[in-house]
Amino acid sequence: MSNYHIKHLEEYFQVYRKSVRNPEAFWEEIAEEHFLWRKKWDKVLSWDFSKPEVTWFEGAQLNITENCIDRHLATRGEKTAIIFEPNNPEEEAQHISYYQLHDKVCRMANVLKEKGIQKGDRVCVYLPMIPELAVTILACARIGAIHSVVFAGFSSNALATRINDSDCKIVITSDGSYRGNKSIDLKGIVDKALEECPGVAHVLVAKRTKSTIEMKNGRDEWLQPLLDAAYGDCVPEIMDAEDPLFILYTSGSTGRPKGMVHTTGGYMVYTAYTFKNVFQYRENDVYWCTADIGWITGHSYIVYGPLANGATTVMFEGVPSYPDFGRFWEVIEKHKVNQFYTAPTAIRALAKQNLEFVENHDLSSLKVLGSVGEPINEEAWHWYNNNVGKKKSPIVDTWWQTETGGIMITPIPYVTPTTPTYATLPFIGIQPALMDEEGHEIMGNQVEGRLCIKFPWPSMARTIWGDHDRYRDTYFTAYKNNYFTGDGALRDAVGYYRITGRVDDVIIVSGHNLGTAPIEDAINEHPAVAESAIVGFPHDVKGNALYGYVILKETGETRDRDNLRNEINQQITEHIGPIAKLDKIQFVSGLPKTRSGKIMRRILRKIASNDVSNLGDTSTLLNPEVVQEIIDNVV
Ligand code: 6R9
């Protein structure tokens, strides 16, 4: 089991050096020893970042579900694979063993086949955090269909765009979903989306809320009777290592969402290997990641990474505040969770509550705490460390992205000494670089720059669905022969990395990446709006909140401002979803623009953050006079 489980710092440095000196030999050894392949690769790695083209384990054949399920049956058949913790604590949790998971996935796979789904077809999954969600994506992988999970908080518009972008033939959804004391009409959202999606022939509906919904004849069917009738075994489709496993959409700084394409072999190897090390997972541990499977964190570290290691992974349907702010701690106590992985926005919200919510629960099972999604501020880090980890459980501040597939910069718990707000050191095999604005690598320590990755790693996204040029232009053009992350970072005196945040037009609100362009597009569709610009400003729970500057058309000038604000947010909710609503809206007569017509967001960001002391040089603006007007009328 060489190199698979890092146990001390010296070993980390030793294995890291090995992984960087000879990446192919390193990953070959990991892949060979810890996974089930139907056929071994002809070549471990080929790459050319100028095209960009990257292949790992070319020529190899496998099925990822054999690695995540079948191969565990002999030794771990009765072991719990998934613990489902429902939204309502009064409803009983479900323990799904590896045997049961095998049966469920096979049945679902057979149902998909019956509906005509074949290898390479795209399947849209729009489900809440119920077992059917994990089962459906594994069922797709079983038959070689490409899953495209759309977070079940997205609006019908956002759903329709994603279904059409990747030509999904079928949608798997549920009647409704629970979120705290609310329930949401998911099927209604799907019905509305499908008015714009002529390519969808089938909709399979899981029953969750038992709400009354409309079933369209010939298109919609209840899922459960189909599963009951299906056969509980399904021969896995043999896939090439580079066959696509899934598409997952992420927001870009411009226009349409980007359908990041992940492939099978490299993704499996890297997510499994990082899971094992970053959470120091041991047999019989119970691991809980609070993310939604609608995001990459859920794909890699609720489903694929844990199951590839034969782990027990918790799927939580609810929210941290229901029935009260003690829910996370109650769940940790109830299932004796050993590794707990959540987001800074949740930590900040919980840190605002009475400490009794935490203290009333026995958290002594915890061994490792994780953080992901955005920079964790020092206050939140200490609160998490003191009150949840009781200063005994190391915090792994894990930096990575939808595009990277797996964790990239992170401490290894009980191995890497942690420092608040630092993601610390690159994971095994990861070669980060900091670049200056001219595109040169900044060497040495105590430096700051734009974060790039110099060398391919197995789980990197291979393309953007249907738009390889955009993939190249977004990630591989700014810094020649490097993958550009879109983040800024600094490297301190000992070589630890601290991520400072996005350097592009993506704003992270409560851990959700929001591109400014689609929100502005949504606002601009309002009949009274002429133009708009969105920036982020610091928010003590959400990390960032959104501030919108809106120019009205003449016809809008006479309208009531509060009504307009509500309508604009309604417009955003319909186009993107409630997560993108604006906290503040200021009506302005103009936006500061450069002579080439670009909005100077830097100035707008400063004004929104109440920091107008040093706005920099505004004399080059096309319309410098609007700056003072905006400052005078700030909301
Ligand atoms: C996994 C995930 C990616 C962006 C990324 C960065 C931010 C994520 C972070 C972090 C600081 C961390 N980010 N983890 N920033 N420290 N530990 O979140 O993927 O949704 O694609 O977001 O999130 O800005 O570029 P994704």
Side-chain angles (χ1 to χ4, degrees):
M1 292 280 163
S2 59
N3 302 331
Y4 193 63
H5 203 168
I6 312 290
K7 287 172 218 68
H8 50 83
L9 195 59
E10 212 176 298
E11 188 186 359
Y12 160 80
F13 282 117
Q14 192 200 330
V15 178
Y16 181 78
R17 275 194 296 271
K18 187 171 154 186
S19 73
V20 167
R21 277 191 198 136
N22 193 344
E24 296 187 39
F26 175 79
W27 288 111
E28 175 155 48
E29 194 180 306
I30 297 289
E32 188 133 21
E33 285 182 17
H34 303 282
F35 301 91
L36 185 68
W37 303 89
R38 290 296 189 104
K39 175 179 170 287
K40 290 280 161 69
W41 41 91
D42 305 316
K43 195 164 188 314
V44 178
L45 169 68
S46 330
W47 67 292
D48 178 349
F49 274 178
S50 70
K51 287 196 167 106
E53 253 172 44
V54 174
T55 57
W56 283 92
F57 309 114
E58 205 177 335
Q61 294 186 327
L62 74 156
N63 186 290
I64 196 169
T65 68
E66 280 196 300
N67 282 272
C68 289
I69 307 171
D70 303 56
R71 66 169 170 150
H72 305 311
L73 295 180
T75 51
R76 302 182 176 108
E78 305 288 350
K79 179 178 172 176
T80 299
I82 296 176
I83 300 177
F84 169 61
E85 173 66 28
N87 176 63
N88 182 350
E90 317 257 290
E91 188 182 328
E92 211 175 317
Q94 285 177 36
H95 288 71
I96 301 169
S97 70
Y98 275 93
Y99 273 135
Q100 291 166 326
L101 185 62
H102 181 265
D103 177 75
K104 285 176 188 288
V105 168
C106 287
R107 284 172 190 268
M108 185 69 204
N110 286 326
V111 168
L112 290 172
K113 275 193 186 168
E114 263 167 48
K115 296 294 155 208
I117 302 301
Q118 298 176 351
K119 178 175 177 175
D121 288 344
R122 275 78 59 202
V123 173
C124 175
V125 187
Y126 187 71
L127 278 169
M129 281 288 283
I130 56 177
E132 285 86 341
L133 173 49
V135 166
T136 302
I137 71 174
L138 290 163
C140 289
R142 188 79 174 178
I143 63 170
I146 303 170
H147 55 79
S148 169
V149 181
V150 177
F151 172 59
F154 273 129
S155 68
S156 56
N157 256 300
L159 176 61
T161 309
R162 287 158 176 75
I163 290 173
N164 288 333
D165 183 78
S166 48
D167 282 322
C168 294
K169 288 189 165 174
I170 186 168
V171 177
I172 319 299
T173 189
S174 65
D175 48 359
S177 68
Y178 293 122
R179 269 187 82 75
N181 52 19
K182 283 193 285 212
S183 62
I184 296 157
D185 173 24
L186 283 195
K187 179 60 168 49
I189 296 172
V190 171
D191 288 341
K192 187 142 180 260
L194 292 191
E195 288 170 14
E196 314 292 323
C197 305
V200 173
H202 299 284
V203 178
L204 305 183
V205 187
K207 194 170 266 186
R208 180 58 185 141
T209 55
K210 305 194 178 77
S211 52
T212 344
I213 56 165
E214 270 179 43
M215 295 292 272
K216 189 171 164 188
N217 237 338
R219 187 193 71 183
D220 304 350
E221 278 174 277
W222 289 105
L223 182 58
Q224 195 57 49
L226 299 174
L227 290 172
D228 291 342
Y231 185 52
D233 201 0
C234 170
V235 178
E237 186 78 31
I238 301 308
M239 307 297 287
D240 286 339
E242 282 297 337
D243 278 338
L245 175 64
F246 65 85
I247 300 168
L248 187 59
Y249 286 89
T250 186
S251 310
S253 49
T254 54
R256 291 181 297 120
K258 298 174 286 191
M260 304 312 306
V261 178
H262 282 282
T263 59
T264 310
Y267 176 82
M268 171 183 78
V269 169
Y270 193 78
T271 53
Y273 183 56
T274 45
F275 173 77
K276 180 81 178 168
N277 284 289
V278 174
F279 300 102
Q280 289 286 306
Y281 185 85
R282 312 268 164 149
E283 193 69 44
N284 301 324
D285 282 351
V286 174
Y287 161 88
W288 180 22
C289 167
T290 69
D292 191 290
I293 293 175
W295 310 116
I296 190 70
T297 307
H299 280 62
S300 301
Y301 299 110
I302 294 178
V303 182
Y304 289 112
L307 297 179
N309 281 285
T312 299
T313 177
V314 177
M315 250 186 103
F316 176 49
E317 184 187 27
V319 294
S321 54
Y322 177 81
D324 61 38
F325 282 98
R327 186 69 192 279
F328 273 6
W329 324 126
E330 181 200 317
V331 173
I332 291 173
E333 177 174 7
K334 176 173 170 190
H335 298 299
K336 301 198 171 45
V337 171
N338 301 111
Q339 291 90 359
F340 176 67
Y341 192 27
T342 193
T345 184
I347 299 168
R348 287 190 297 264
L350 294 168
K352 287 193 142 197
Q353 314 304 321
N354 194 327
L355 210 49
E356 278 177 12
F357 282 120
V358 191
E359 287 167 346
N360 285 343
H361 296 282
D362 176 7
L363 305 182
S364 60
S365 56
L366 288 172
K367 297 193 284 190
V368 176
L369 302 178
S371 170
V372 60
E374 59 183 310
I376 179 166
N377 52 307
E378 195 144 357
E379 212 182 330
W381 194 97
H382 284 296
W383 186 87
Y384 198 25
N385 185 42
N386 295 343
N387 301 299
V388 183
K390 322 282 182 204
K391 297 190 180 148
K392 285 195 308 248
S393 298
I395 296 175
V396 290
D397 178 357
T398 62
W399 173 84
W400 58 296
Q401 309 177 296
T402 305
E403 294 87 337
T404 71
I407 294 169
M408 302 288 281
I409 302 183
T410 179
I412 296 178
Y414 302 99
V415 170
T416 320
T418 58
T419 302
T421 77
Y422 282 77
T424 76
L425 297 171
F427 189 75
I428 311 295
I430 302 305
Q431 304 188 35
L434 297 179
M435 302 290 178
D436 64 21
E437 287 188 23
E438 277 77 59
H440 303 118
E441 183 172 356
I442 309 168
M443 307 306 283
N445 286 346
Q446 287 188 296
V447 292
E448 186 167 355
R450 296 176 171 217
L451 180 62
C452 288
I453 312 291
K454 290 199 266 196
F455 194 86
W457 62 100
S459 67
M460 64 189 290
R462 303 294 196 258
T463 191
I464 292 174
W465 184 263
D467 200 348
H468 197 67
D469 287 350
R470 186 173 181 202
Y471 177 65
R472 185 191 54 232
D473 296 346
T474 311
Y475 303 107
F476 296 91
T477 307
Y479 302 95
K480 208 167 174 295
N481 279 322
N482 281 272
Y483 164 80
F484 174 47
T485 65
D487 282 317
L490 59 81
R491 188 163 55 221
D492 76 358
V494 298
Y496 274 15
Y497 287 85
R498 177 185 186 169
I499 312 304
T500 47
R502 301 292 306 190
V503 295
D504 56 13
D505 289 336
V506 173
I507 306 170
I508 303 194
V509 177
S510 297
H512 302 309
N513 294 11
L514 300 172
T516 52
I519 304 177
E520 288 162 6
D521 291 347
I523 300 172
N524 297 349
E525 278 190 23
H526 189 287
V529 171
E531 201 184 346
S532 61
I534 303 300
V535 296
F537 68 100
H539 184 281
D540 61 352
V541 171
K542 301 195 255 191
N544 294 295
L546 299 178
Y547 194 116
Y549 297 92
V550 175
I551 305 176
L552 292 176
K553 288 183 185 156
E554 249 180 64
T555 50
E557 288 293 349
T558 52
R559 298 270 326 266
D560 177 78
R561 298 295 150 107
D562 282 339
N563 283 345
L564 275 175
R565 287 192 176 94
N566 288 338
E567 287 172 22
I568 287 171
N569 269 329
Q570 187 53 34
Q571 189 95 4
I572 294 171
T573 304
E574 279 164 21
H575 278 73
I576 298 151
I579 49 176
K581 282 206 281 194
L582 310 181
D583 271 38
K584 294 185 181 176
I585 298 176
Q586 178 177 358
F587 296 101
V588 297
S589 69
L591 295 166
K593 289 200 177 161
T594 63
R595 281 168 204 275
S596 63
K598 269 199 148 148
I599 297 170
M600 284 276 262
R601 289 175 197 278
R602 184 175 54 78
I603 293 176
L604 295 175
R605 255 194 304 269
K606 286 204 152 206
I607 298 174
S609 312
N610 236 329
D611 169 23
V612 291
S613 55
N614 180 15
L615 288 180
D617 185 14
T618 55
S619 65
T620 58
L621 289 176
L622 201 61
N623 49 353
E625 70 289 346
V626 298
V627 175
Q628 195 55 47
E629 180 211 301
I630 295 177
I631 295 173
D632 291 342
N633 295 300
V634 85
V635 287

